[in-house]
mmCIF file of all heavy atoms in Angstrom:
data_model
loop_
_atom_site.group_PDB
_atom_site.id
_atom_site.type_symbol
_atom_site.label_atom_id
_atom_site.label_comp_id
_atom_site.label_asym_id
_atom_site.label_seq_id
_atom_site.Cartn_x
_atom_site.Cartn_y
_atom_site.Cartn_z
ATOM 1 N N ILE A 1 -56.693 155.848 -106.999
ATOM 2 C CA ILE A 1 -56.314 155.944 -105.594
ATOM 3 C C ILE A 1 -55.920 157.383 -105.319
ATOM 4 O O ILE A 1 -55.205 158.003 -106.116
ATOM 5 C CB ILE A 1 -55.127 155.006 -105.257
ATOM 6 C CG1 ILE A 1 -55.568 153.541 -105.310
ATOM 7 C CG2 ILE A 1 -54.523 155.348 -103.890
ATOM 8 C CD1 ILE A 1 -54.421 152.549 -105.174
ATOM 9 N N ARG A 2 -56.381 157.894 -104.173
ATOM 10 C CA ARG A 2 -55.920 159.193 -103.677
ATOM 11 C C ARG A 2 -55.340 158.968 -102.293
ATOM 12 O O ARG A 2 -55.975 158.335 -101.444
ATOM 13 C CB ARG A 2 -57.068 160.198 -103.598
ATOM 14 C CG ARG A 2 -56.599 161.589 -103.120
ATOM 15 C CD ARG A 2 -57.714 162.611 -103.164
ATOM 16 N NE ARG A 2 -58.757 162.342 -102.204
ATOM 17 C CZ ARG A 2 -58.744 162.751 -100.924
ATOM 18 N NH1 ARG A 2 -57.708 163.429 -100.435
ATOM 19 N NH2 ARG A 2 -59.752 162.477 -100.118
ATOM 20 N N VAL A 3 -54.128 159.446 -102.091
ATOM 21 C CA VAL A 3 -53.458 159.348 -100.799
ATOM 22 C C VAL A 3 -53.414 160.746 -100.189
ATOM 23 O O VAL A 3 -52.906 161.678 -100.816
ATOM 24 C CB VAL A 3 -52.023 158.790 -100.952
ATOM 25 C CG1 VAL A 3 -51.260 158.857 -99.636
ATOM 26 C CG2 VAL A 3 -52.053 157.373 -101.498
ATOM 27 N N SER A 4 -53.959 160.867 -98.984
ATOM 28 C CA SER A 4 -53.900 162.132 -98.264
ATOM 29 C C SER A 4 -52.827 162.024 -97.186
ATOM 30 O O SER A 4 -53.001 161.301 -96.201
ATOM 31 C CB SER A 4 -55.255 162.450 -97.632
ATOM 32 O OG SER A 4 -55.113 163.577 -96.771
ATOM 33 N N ILE A 5 -51.734 162.747 -97.390
ATOM 34 C CA ILE A 5 -50.661 162.771 -96.391
ATOM 35 C C ILE A 5 -51.166 163.431 -95.109
ATOM 36 O O ILE A 5 -50.899 162.950 -94.009
ATOM 37 C CB ILE A 5 -49.415 163.487 -96.951
ATOM 38 C CG1 ILE A 5 -48.824 162.674 -98.113
ATOM 39 C CG2 ILE A 5 -48.384 163.722 -95.855
ATOM 40 C CD1 ILE A 5 -47.724 163.383 -98.891
ATOM 41 N N ALA A 6 -51.931 164.506 -95.240
ATOM 42 C CA ALA A 6 -52.440 165.232 -94.067
ATOM 43 C C ALA A 6 -53.359 164.363 -93.211
ATOM 44 O O ALA A 6 -53.282 164.384 -91.985
ATOM 45 C CB ALA A 6 -53.179 166.497 -94.505
ATOM 46 N N GLU A 7 -54.209 163.565 -93.873
ATOM 47 C CA GLU A 7 -55.165 162.723 -93.147
ATOM 48 C C GLU A 7 -54.606 161.341 -92.816
ATOM 49 O O GLU A 7 -55.224 160.609 -92.044
ATOM 50 C CB GLU A 7 -56.440 162.544 -93.967
ATOM 51 C CG GLU A 7 -57.213 163.805 -94.209
ATOM 52 C CD GLU A 7 -58.397 163.559 -95.116
ATOM 53 O OE1 GLU A 7 -59.426 163.060 -94.617
ATOM 54 O OE2 GLU A 7 -58.288 163.861 -96.326
ATOM 55 N N GLN A 8 -53.470 160.963 -93.433
ATOM 56 C CA GLN A 8 -52.912 159.621 -93.281
ATOM 57 C C GLN A 8 -53.957 158.577 -93.682
ATOM 58 O O GLN A 8 -54.199 157.597 -92.968
ATOM 59 C CB GLN A 8 -52.391 159.390 -91.858
ATOM 60 C CG GLN A 8 -51.172 160.228 -91.511
ATOM 61 C CD GLN A 8 -49.947 159.854 -92.335
ATOM 62 O OE1 GLN A 8 -49.396 158.772 -92.203
ATOM 63 N NE2 GLN A 8 -49.529 160.746 -93.225
ATOM 64 N N LYS A 9 -54.542 158.794 -94.859
ATOM 65 C CA LYS A 9 -55.556 157.887 -95.387
ATOM 66 C C LYS A 9 -55.332 157.657 -96.879
ATOM 67 O O LYS A 9 -54.846 158.541 -97.588
ATOM 68 C CB LYS A 9 -56.960 158.441 -95.168
ATOM 69 C CG LYS A 9 -57.322 158.532 -93.694
ATOM 70 C CD LYS A 9 -58.793 158.648 -93.486
ATOM 71 C CE LYS A 9 -59.151 158.763 -92.023
ATOM 72 N NZ LYS A 9 -58.790 157.637 -91.217
ATOM 73 N N LEU A 10 -55.687 156.454 -97.317
ATOM 74 C CA LEU A 10 -55.690 156.099 -98.730
ATOM 75 C C LEU A 10 -57.137 155.852 -99.113
ATOM 76 O O LEU A 10 -57.841 155.096 -98.442
ATOM 77 C CB LEU A 10 -54.831 154.854 -98.964
ATOM 78 C CG LEU A 10 -54.675 154.362 -100.394
ATOM 79 C CD1 LEU A 10 -53.320 153.686 -100.577
ATOM 80 C CD2 LEU A 10 -55.784 153.425 -100.825
ATOM 81 N N PHE A 11 -57.572 156.500 -100.185
ATOM 82 C CA PHE A 11 -58.938 156.384 -100.684
ATOM 83 C C PHE A 11 -58.895 155.657 -102.025
ATOM 84 O O PHE A 11 -58.301 156.169 -102.975
ATOM 85 C CB PHE A 11 -59.557 157.771 -100.874
ATOM 86 C CG PHE A 11 -59.565 158.609 -99.632
ATOM 87 C CD1 PHE A 11 -58.450 159.367 -99.274
ATOM 88 C CD2 PHE A 11 -60.680 158.649 -98.818
ATOM 89 C CE1 PHE A 11 -58.458 160.153 -98.130
ATOM 90 C CE2 PHE A 11 -60.695 159.433 -97.665
ATOM 91 C CZ PHE A 11 -59.580 160.177 -97.322
ATOM 92 N N TYR A 12 -59.513 154.479 -102.090
ATOM 93 C CA TYR A 12 -59.604 153.745 -103.359
ATOM 94 C C TYR A 12 -61.023 153.907 -103.883
ATOM 95 O O TYR A 12 -61.991 153.566 -103.194
ATOM 96 C CB TYR A 12 -59.289 152.262 -103.170
ATOM 97 C CG TYR A 12 -59.595 151.456 -104.409
ATOM 98 C CD1 TYR A 12 -58.818 151.595 -105.553
ATOM 99 C CD2 TYR A 12 -60.679 150.589 -104.445
ATOM 100 C CE1 TYR A 12 -59.105 150.877 -106.703
ATOM 101 C CE2 TYR A 12 -60.976 149.861 -105.592
ATOM 102 C CZ TYR A 12 -60.181 150.014 -106.720
ATOM 103 O OH TYR A 12 -60.482 149.309 -107.866
ATOM 104 N N THR A 13 -61.152 154.444 -105.084
ATOM 105 C CA THR A 13 -62.451 154.599 -105.721
ATOM 106 C C THR A 13 -62.513 153.612 -106.880
ATOM 107 O O THR A 13 -61.666 153.649 -107.782
ATOM 108 C CB THR A 13 -62.655 156.045 -106.219
ATOM 109 O OG1 THR A 13 -62.513 156.931 -105.109
ATOM 110 C CG2 THR A 13 -64.024 156.216 -106.849
ATOM 111 N N ASP A 14 -63.508 152.717 -106.845
ATOM 112 C CA ASP A 14 -63.619 151.686 -107.886
ATOM 113 C C ASP A 14 -64.355 152.227 -109.111
ATOM 114 O O ASP A 14 -64.750 153.398 -109.160
ATOM 115 C CB ASP A 14 -64.264 150.414 -107.328
ATOM 116 C CG ASP A 14 -65.740 150.541 -107.002
ATOM 117 O OD1 ASP A 14 -66.406 151.511 -107.453
ATOM 118 O OD2 ASP A 14 -66.251 149.643 -106.304
ATOM 119 N N SER A 15 -64.539 151.382 -110.112
ATOM 120 C CA SER A 15 -65.129 151.802 -111.384
ATOM 121 C C SER A 15 -66.597 152.194 -111.254
ATOM 122 O O SER A 15 -67.150 152.827 -112.154
ATOM 123 C CB SER A 15 -64.957 150.711 -112.437
ATOM 124 O OG SER A 15 -65.542 149.510 -111.978
ATOM 125 N N ASN A 16 -67.248 151.854 -110.138
ATOM 126 C CA ASN A 16 -68.628 152.263 -109.876
ATOM 127 C C ASN A 16 -68.701 153.534 -109.034
ATOM 128 O O ASN A 16 -69.787 153.973 -108.666
ATOM 129 C CB ASN A 16 -69.392 151.144 -109.154
ATOM 130 C CG ASN A 16 -69.532 149.920 -110.028
ATOM 131 O OD1 ASN A 16 -69.837 150.023 -111.207
ATOM 132 N ND2 ASN A 16 -69.274 148.762 -109.454
ATOM 133 N N GLY A 17 -67.530 154.092 -108.694
ATOM 134 C CA GLY A 17 -67.494 155.293 -107.880
ATOM 135 C C GLY A 17 -67.580 155.028 -106.387
ATOM 136 O O GLY A 17 -67.677 155.958 -105.596
ATOM 137 N N LEU A 18 -67.546 153.745 -105.995
ATOM 138 C CA LEU A 18 -67.598 153.396 -104.572
ATOM 139 C C LEU A 18 -66.210 153.554 -103.963
ATOM 140 O O LEU A 18 -65.216 153.079 -104.521
ATOM 141 C CB LEU A 18 -68.103 151.972 -104.385
ATOM 142 C CG LEU A 18 -69.532 151.715 -104.901
ATOM 143 C CD1 LEU A 18 -69.871 150.235 -104.784
ATOM 144 C CD2 LEU A 18 -70.538 152.575 -104.150
ATOM 145 N N GLU A 19 -66.168 154.185 -102.803
ATOM 146 C CA GLU A 19 -64.888 154.497 -102.162
ATOM 147 C C GLU A 19 -64.643 153.602 -100.953
ATOM 148 O O GLU A 19 -65.535 153.394 -100.137
ATOM 149 C CB GLU A 19 -64.908 155.968 -101.738
ATOM 150 C CG GLU A 19 -63.597 156.463 -101.187
ATOM 151 C CD GLU A 19 -63.654 157.949 -100.885
ATOM 152 O OE1 GLU A 19 -64.242 158.316 -99.846
ATOM 153 O OE2 GLU A 19 -63.112 158.725 -101.689
ATOM 154 N N THR A 20 -63.406 153.093 -100.856
ATOM 155 C CA THR A 20 -62.943 152.374 -99.678
ATOM 156 C C THR A 20 -61.812 153.198 -99.075
ATOM 157 O O THR A 20 -60.923 153.654 -99.799
ATOM 158 C CB THR A 20 -62.433 150.966 -100.043
ATOM 159 O OG1 THR A 20 -63.450 150.271 -100.762
ATOM 160 C CG2 THR A 20 -62.061 150.170 -98.800
ATOM 161 N N VAL A 21 -61.838 153.379 -97.764
ATOM 162 C CA VAL A 21 -60.852 154.218 -97.081
ATOM 163 C C VAL A 21 -59.993 153.338 -96.176
ATOM 164 O O VAL A 21 -60.514 152.512 -95.427
ATOM 165 C CB VAL A 21 -61.539 155.323 -96.243
ATOM 166 C CG1 VAL A 21 -60.498 156.213 -95.572
ATOM 167 C CG2 VAL A 21 -62.480 156.144 -97.110
ATOM 168 N N TYR A 22 -58.676 153.528 -96.269
ATOM 169 C CA TYR A 22 -57.724 152.780 -95.451
ATOM 170 C C TYR A 22 -56.877 153.757 -94.651
ATOM 171 O O TYR A 22 -56.442 154.785 -95.170
ATOM 172 C CB TYR A 22 -56.781 151.967 -96.337
ATOM 173 C CG TYR A 22 -57.462 150.973 -97.230
ATOM 174 C CD1 TYR A 22 -57.755 151.294 -98.554
ATOM 175 C CD2 TYR A 22 -57.802 149.703 -96.770
ATOM 176 C CE1 TYR A 22 -58.364 150.368 -99.391
ATOM 177 C CE2 TYR A 22 -58.412 148.775 -97.591
ATOM 178 C CZ TYR A 22 -58.691 149.125 -98.908
ATOM 179 O OH TYR A 22 -59.296 148.209 -99.734
ATOM 180 N N SER A 23 -56.599 153.417 -93.408
ATOM 181 C CA SER A 23 -55.640 154.164 -92.601
ATOM 182 C C SER A 23 -54.242 153.715 -93.031
ATOM 183 O O SER A 23 -54.004 152.523 -93.233
ATOM 184 C CB SER A 23 -55.872 153.873 -91.120
ATOM 185 O OG SER A 23 -55.052 154.689 -90.339
ATOM 186 N N ILE A 24 -53.331 154.671 -93.198
ATOM 187 C CA ILE A 24 -51.989 154.383 -93.710
ATOM 188 C C ILE A 24 -50.950 155.100 -92.860
ATOM 189 O O ILE A 24 -51.280 155.840 -91.931
ATOM 190 C CB ILE A 24 -51.845 154.833 -95.181
ATOM 191 C CG1 ILE A 24 -52.129 156.345 -95.299
ATOM 192 C CG2 ILE A 24 -52.747 154.008 -96.094
ATOM 193 C CD1 ILE A 24 -51.723 156.963 -96.613
ATOM 194 N N SER A 25 -49.687 154.895 -93.235
ATOM 195 C CA SER A 25 -48.581 155.637 -92.643
ATOM 196 C C SER A 25 -47.652 156.073 -93.770
ATOM 197 O O SER A 25 -47.138 155.233 -94.514
ATOM 198 C CB SER A 25 -47.826 154.759 -91.636
ATOM 199 O OG SER A 25 -46.723 155.456 -91.102
ATOM 200 N N THR A 26 -47.476 157.383 -93.901
ATOM 201 C CA THR A 26 -46.545 157.919 -94.899
ATOM 202 C C THR A 26 -45.248 158.320 -94.181
ATOM 203 O O THR A 26 -45.024 157.939 -93.040
ATOM 204 C CB THR A 26 -47.176 159.105 -95.655
ATOM 205 O OG1 THR A 26 -47.497 160.144 -94.727
ATOM 206 C CG2 THR A 26 -48.422 158.676 -96.424
ATOM 207 N N ALA A 27 -44.418 159.097 -94.836
ATOM 208 C CA ALA A 27 -43.069 159.385 -94.341
ATOM 209 C C ALA A 27 -43.013 160.200 -93.061
ATOM 210 O O ALA A 27 -43.685 161.219 -92.922
ATOM 211 C CB ALA A 27 -42.260 160.095 -95.416
ATOM 212 N N LYS A 28 -42.165 159.737 -92.173
ATOM 213 C CA LYS A 28 -41.870 160.463 -90.929
ATOM 214 C C LYS A 28 -41.321 161.857 -91.247
ATOM 215 O O LYS A 28 -41.563 162.809 -90.521
ATOM 216 C CB LYS A 28 -40.860 159.664 -90.110
ATOM 217 C CG LYS A 28 -40.541 160.249 -88.770
ATOM 218 C CD LYS A 28 -39.613 159.348 -87.995
ATOM 219 C CE LYS A 28 -39.373 159.877 -86.600
ATOM 220 N NZ LYS A 28 -38.550 158.962 -85.806
ATOM 221 N N ASN A 29 -40.583 161.970 -92.373
ATOM 222 C CA ASN A 29 -39.978 163.247 -92.770
ATOM 223 C C ASN A 29 -40.935 164.156 -93.536
ATOM 224 O O ASN A 29 -40.516 165.202 -94.026
ATOM 225 C CB ASN A 29 -38.728 163.005 -93.610
ATOM 226 C CG ASN A 29 -37.596 162.422 -92.807
ATOM 227 O OD1 ASN A 29 -37.631 162.411 -91.579
ATOM 228 N ND2 ASN A 29 -36.586 161.917 -93.487
ATOM 229 N N GLY A 30 -42.197 163.746 -93.689
ATOM 230 C CA GLY A 30 -43.179 164.585 -94.371
ATOM 231 C C GLY A 30 -43.185 164.387 -95.874
ATOM 232 O O GLY A 30 -42.689 163.391 -96.398
ATOM 233 N N ALA A 31 -43.715 165.369 -96.568
ATOM 234 C CA ALA A 31 -43.836 165.318 -98.023
ATOM 235 C C ALA A 31 -42.611 165.935 -98.673
ATOM 236 O O ALA A 31 -42.059 166.919 -98.180
ATOM 237 C CB ALA A 31 -45.093 166.062 -98.466
ATOM 238 N N GLY A 32 -42.190 165.345 -99.786
ATOM 239 C CA GLY A 32 -41.053 165.870 -100.543
ATOM 240 C C GLY A 32 -40.642 164.906 -101.630
ATOM 241 O O GLY A 32 -40.887 163.709 -101.534
ATOM 242 N N GLU A 33 -40.011 165.433 -102.633
ATOM 243 C CA GLU A 33 -39.729 164.639 -103.827
ATOM 244 C C GLU A 33 -38.254 164.314 -104.051
ATOM 245 O O GLU A 33 -37.939 163.488 -104.897
ATOM 246 C CB GLU A 33 -40.273 165.390 -105.066
ATOM 247 C CG GLU A 33 -41.784 165.478 -105.119
ATOM 248 C CD GLU A 33 -42.429 166.369 -104.068
ATOM 249 O OE1 GLU A 33 -41.934 167.483 -103.812
ATOM 250 O OE2 GLU A 33 -43.442 165.919 -103.487
#
């Protein structure tokens, strides 16, 4: 899985290399650890 905070999308790549894209919502406060 790759999550793009900038795009607000989650990309799931399966074992065959096929990608499924989901619209998501990450933190209102942005990125940080």
Side-chain angles (χ1 to χ4, degrees):
I1 290 172
R2 182 175 68 86
V3 173
S4 171
I5 294 171
E7 296 176 80
Q8 292 294 293
K9 295 198 181 298
L10 182 150
F11 303 85
Y12 171 70
T13 303
D14 70 15
S15 57
N16 295 316
L18 298 174
E19 186 176 77
T20 306
V21 182
Y22 301 96
S23 186
I24 59 167
S25 178
T26 60
K28 184 176 184 176
N29 291 347
E33 292 69 44

